[in-house]
Amino acid sequence: MKKILSLFTISLLVAACGTSKNKTATVKAPADPIKYAETITAEDLKTSLYVYAGDKFQGRETGKEGEKMAINFLKKHYTEDGISAAKSDGNYFQDVPLVISATPDVKVTVNGKTFTNIDDYVSVSTAKDGTLNTKDIVFAGFGIEDSNYSNYKNLDVNGKVVVIRSGEPKNVDGKYVISGTDKASKWSNFRQEFASKQEIAKSKGAKALLFYYPEVYAMAANRFGRSSGRMSLAGGSDAMYYMLINTNLAKALVSDIETNEKSMSLKSDLSINYKNNSENIAANNVAAIIRGSEKPNEYIVISAHLDHEGIKDGIVYNGADDDGSGTVAVLEIAEAFAKAKKDGNGPKRSIVFLNVTGEEKGLLGSKHYTDNDPIFPLADTVADLNIDMIGRTDPKREKKNRNYVYLIGSDKLSTELHNISEMINTKYMNIDLDYTFNDENDPNRYYFRSDHYNFAKNNVPVIFYFNGTHDDYHQPGDTPDKIQYDLLENRARLVFYTAWELANREARIVVDKAAK
Ligand SMILES: [Zn+2]
């Protein structure tokens, strides 16, 4: 590995001369990051990775025993390096409440007649266990409230069960009443109807929403009516029951529902009994921080996912590259910054080391951090440097030089970030930065497939460091003996230098291409 030292050395000398001439100057020359970068070594990375991706950690599946060992391993490292917990209560672990979804048992009767779960109705949101017996039922037509058309005008639905139908009204000329054109509004546009009608009913205090939506019923019954076993963030149980209903049940409530759009009270006895079968899973992100010396309230996040696939059919999926490589890189980078701080050369901005859970289940840990519980405000988060798989090479890559890394996302939000990343690489590392996958329209969609995306979607500039896939990707063969530790060292050092620059440069990088 070749470093370009000459230019940098000259600039340091110039800076030193400048300050020595001026006796009142208190600003010291910027510290040299090289000696700290050099503490990130192939040997240390290897030692950590053989433990972290060893069989003992059981593939670190989200919420499982192996993952608990992994988070304790991370905590121990941060503690030993004297790096504080990010959370103000001193806990390195951030709770990430998850659920494995399962079809709830729901019983519905109307005037004593029992209807059948899935055939006649299907629950489409997670609600609390409970029973509702009521005569307070109203029909709210299309379930719309818009400036020039409303089904909720003079209709009190607070604490009541609301029945609605799909679609939106049209004039005699066939044009939509709401848009005045041939274009459907959000009230019947396929992508928005479902949520728009739910939102308005909920905001008006409905206890339950029964939505007659025959066009999608079969599909919804299939999707929500089968225990999916899918893991997701626990959204908190909804206070409102939300069900799609099929023709039998809809007509038992409103006999002419297919043609009626007039709001009215209904004369029926309705009972809903709801039993939630989802399983709660407790998992954790691990977050540590080195506080900035001058701008402690601006944050650079360095992230990697701590989880992997676990054990399947008795075989451990070690995930040495995915993402053991990123995880041990974060630890070594953290240690390098800690050493700098000990020498009085700590970063001017704060650096947050974020190990996230649930990536393999759908970027859940990072989503919890950005969407539910950012430990530090996203508005004060300068960038996320995300590392996911940097220990191997891509056999399908056309250029055959080993010393490369794919960069994704660096230019998407901040031109300045991209330029700094390039400049720093040229100055210190000379790795071949390969932008093959830096395209949202690339069929692999890598830009959307790791944790940086949850930051990017919130307009936090990101760089995703990645070696590409290989034959052992998500296979039991992703083991620590196949890691190319010299490359892992180079790439980890590149992330360190880039973070160093972002943390220490005078002005915070500018976001010039924020998404609307
Ligand atoms: Zn991964």
Side-chain angles (χ1 to χ4, degrees), residues 208-247:
L209 179 64
L210 307 183
F211 187 2
Y212 179 49
Y213 198 164
E215 299 89 341
V216 303
Y217 191 83
M219 194 174 74
N222 193 35
R223 163 141 188 232
F224 294 97
R226 273 187 325 199
S227 179
S228 77
R230 204 164 34 93
M231 197 182 278
S232 57
L233 287 177
S237 294
D238 217 310
M240 181 178 87
Y241 299 116
Y242 186 22
M243 287 183 251
L244 294 190
I245 57 176
N246 212 346
T247 313

Side-chain angles (χ1 to χ4, degrees), residues 305 322-323 359-360 388-389 450 473-474:
H305 69 88
D322 186 7
D323 185 22
E359 193 271 354
E360 306 287 9
D388 192 357
M389 300 172 65
S450 188
Y473 175 66
H474 281 215

